[in-house]
Amino acid sequence: MAEVYITAQELLKALQEISPKFSSQDLIALEEFIDSDPDDEWELKEGKDYRIVIQATGKREYTASGAYTIARCLEARQKPGFWARIKELVLHTKRKVRRAFINKKILDNCSSLVKRRSHFWISRADLVSILGTNSQTLTRMLDKAQQMQSPLIQGQDYEDFADGSGIYFSLGGIYKISQVFGKSLTQKNRREWCEEVGNTIQPQVNDIVDTIKNRENEIERAMRYVREKRDKKTCQVTKTKQDKINGLKLAVHHLYSRNAYPAIASNHANLITISCDVHDQFHQDYMGGTNKPCTIDDFIDFVQRYYPDNTSLVNQLTSWRVSLNNPQPIDLSKPPHVLYLPASRLTG
């Protein structure tokens, strides 16, 4: 895990809990005192105990060793209590930083996330990555878990859904497994990491699910705006407007397909209103199927070939193409990032 740094403001706030009158000028004076005599017992080394974050002012951020040095010096010059408070601050900061790294690890390694029978489940392969372990160690820990007072229960803590995707673990099951790791590993930092996974995974999965739902809602809002406000319920290819007489059915087409270019799925320049007949003609007849990824260039070629009189649309599409800045597709042969999973997969 990366070095933990404590800002000058955080350090000052912690010191003021012991000595409310301790000011920022007192902290500066203390640093000057520590730096004044290179031969005394007090020392703050740049790179080891602190780093300069603003060269113009010399503003510092402290490592744990730097914060401890300041606390020890204050204890010697003033009164006890600083050391315990700073130790608590360092441990709290370390825990927050570790949680941030674990949350990122979960975010980048849970593309298997799925909701079934009111529980969220994650595959064994993803769990191995999140715990930072290997398959053999996980197997050994699962054996230990079955000998614990609260063993893993099939259907509740783990499940084979018989669809060829292997064993999945519920968030409750992952908590139990993380506790076994915490009791069994020899390295302290590894024990703390694995135990924290159990405490962190439920709130992190809740945040991920909320983000996915918000993304889906944002796409729906963008499609509704384009169809009703920008394109005024008019097919931009045939220029036919939907009304009570013609019963025209409209679709909002993703110029760069939604699955291959999820990052721009709600971008208005990536959306266009067309009739369902034109939509089917493009996907089925021109592209050869709705599952095939498409780009704005495909649609420009389609319009030029089948609707050559609509030159204004080609000009507009070319303008949007420039504004979309040549997006790159995701690798459809690999599992999508969890944030690009369909919301329906997490609401079952």
Side-chain angles (χ1 to χ4, degrees):
M1 193 172 68
E3 178 68 84
V4 172
Y5 284 98
I6 297 170
T7 66
Q9 291 86 348
E10 290 173 328
L11 181 61
L12 181 61
K13 184 179 178 182
L15 297 175
Q16 287 175 334
E17 292 181 10
I18 303 301
S19 180
K21 294 184 179 178
F22 194 85
S23 67
S24 57
Q25 292 304 311
D26 292 329
L27 179 57
I28 292 172
L30 182 66
E31 290 174 345
E32 291 174 349
F33 168 76
I34 293 174
D35 293 339
S36 63
D37 186 353
D39 296 322
D40 66 8
E41 62 179 307
W42 310 113
E43 184 178 58
L44 286 172
K45 283 188 175 180
E46 185 176 357
K48 173 178 176 291
D49 299 310
Y50 69 91
R51 65 179 177 183
I52 302 293
V53 291
I54 301 178
Q55 290 295 333
T57 62
K59 184 178 180 180
R60 296 177 176 181
E61 286 184 349
Y62 305 90
T63 64
S65 65
Y68 287 148
T69 297
I70 289 173
R72 283 195 295 109
C73 185
L74 275 171
E75 292 234 339
R77 289 163 55 90
Q78 297 189 19
K79 59 184 180 181
F82 290 106
W83 172 261
R85 179 65 191 93
I86 295 304
K87 186 177 179 182
E88 180 185 334
L89 171 65
V90 170
L91 291 176
H92 180 66
T93 304
K94 283 184 175 178
R95 188 179 186 195
K96 285 200 300 183
V97 171
R98 185 170 60 239
R99 279 199 168 195
F101 276 83
I102 290 174
N103 280 334
K104 185 67 165 59
K105 192 79 170 179
I106 294 170
L107 181 64
D108 291 338
N109 292 278
C110 67
S111 59
S112 61
L113 184 65
V114 64
K115 188 175 184 181
R116 291 182 181 177
R117 301 201 301 263
S118 302
H119 293 288
F120 288 109
W121 305 82
I122 291 176
S123 73
R124 177 189 172 105
D126 278 349
L127 180 58
V128 166
S129 298
I130 292 168
L131 290 171
T133 186
N134 56 55
S135 187
Q136 292 77 15
T137 302
L138 178 58
T139 298
R140 192 169 72 251
M141 294 300 164
L142 292 176
D143 291 339
K144 284 180 177 289
Q146 297 308 87
Q147 301 166 18
M148 305 293 284
Q149 187 173 4
S150 299
L152 297 174
I153 301 172
Q154 185 170 6
Q156 177 177 312
D157 298 319
Y158 72 95
E159 185 63 284
D160 183 349
F161 292 114
D163 58 2
S165 56
I167 299 293
Y168 276 63
F169 296 94
S170 69
L171 304 189
I174 292 173
Y175 175 81
K176 287 183 178 179
I177 295 167
S178 73
Q179 299 307 300
V180 176
F181 269 88
K183 290 182 173 65
S184 306
L185 296 178
T186 56
Q187 295 181 8
K188 183 172 181 293
N189 65 323
R190 290 285 302 125
R191 291 201 307 270
E192 291 176 341
W193 177 280
C194 291
E195 283 185 323
E196 198 65 42
V197 167
N199 296 325
T200 304
I201 197 158
Q202 178 71 66
Q204 174 64 338
V205 165
N206 290 343
D207 285 346
I208 288 171
V209 172
D210 286 344
T211 301
I212 292 171
K213 289 179 179 176
N214 290 338
R215 176 177 176 273
E216 292 265 341
N217 291 335
E218 184 181 354
I219 294 171
E220 292 303 316
R221 284 195 298 271
M223 294 173 69
R224 187 164 55 250
Y225 169 81
V226 165
R227 182 179 60 250
E228 297 178 5
K229 301 293 183 182
R230 191 194 70 187
D231 295 341
K232 303 183 185 308
K233 299 182 181 180
T234 301
C235 174
Q236 299 302 298
V237 172
T238 64
K239 295 300 181 183
T240 306
K241 183 177 177 60
Q242 184 184 63
D243 58 35
K244 296 179 181 178
I245 304 301
N246 60 28
L248 180 68
K249 293 183 179 179
L250 296 173
V252 178
H253 171 63
H254 281 84
L255 296 163
Y256 287 96
S257 53
R258 183 170 174 167
N259 291 338
Y261 301 86
I264 57 171
S266 62
N267 190 315
H268 291 178
N270 190 37
L271 301 172
I272 187 170
T273 304
I274 55 179
S275 73
C276 288
D277 288 341
V278 172
H279 203 214
D280 289 343
Q281 182 187 11
F282 173 73
H283 281 295
Q284 298 293 352
D285 300 341
Y286 186 72
M287 294 300 298
T290 54
N291 293 328
K292 291 191 174 181
C294 62
T295 70
I296 195 169
D297 289 326
D298 295 322
F299 199 73
I300 290 173
D301 290 342
F302 166 78
V303 173
Q304 288 176 315
R305 178 172 301 190
Y306 294 100
Y307 303 89
D309 294 336
N310 198 344
T311 56
S312 62
L313 178 57
V314 172
N315 293 342
Q316 182 64 71
L317 291 169
T318 303
S319 173
W320 288 347
R321 181 180 181 277
V322 173
S323 70
L324 290 169
N325 197 26
N326 190 30
Q328 298 302 304
I330 62 173
D331 187 348
L332 293 176
S333 65
K334 297 179 180 178
H337 190 277
V338 64
L339 294 181
Y340 294 146
L341 293 178
S344 58
R345 178 165 156 167
L346 304 172
T347 55

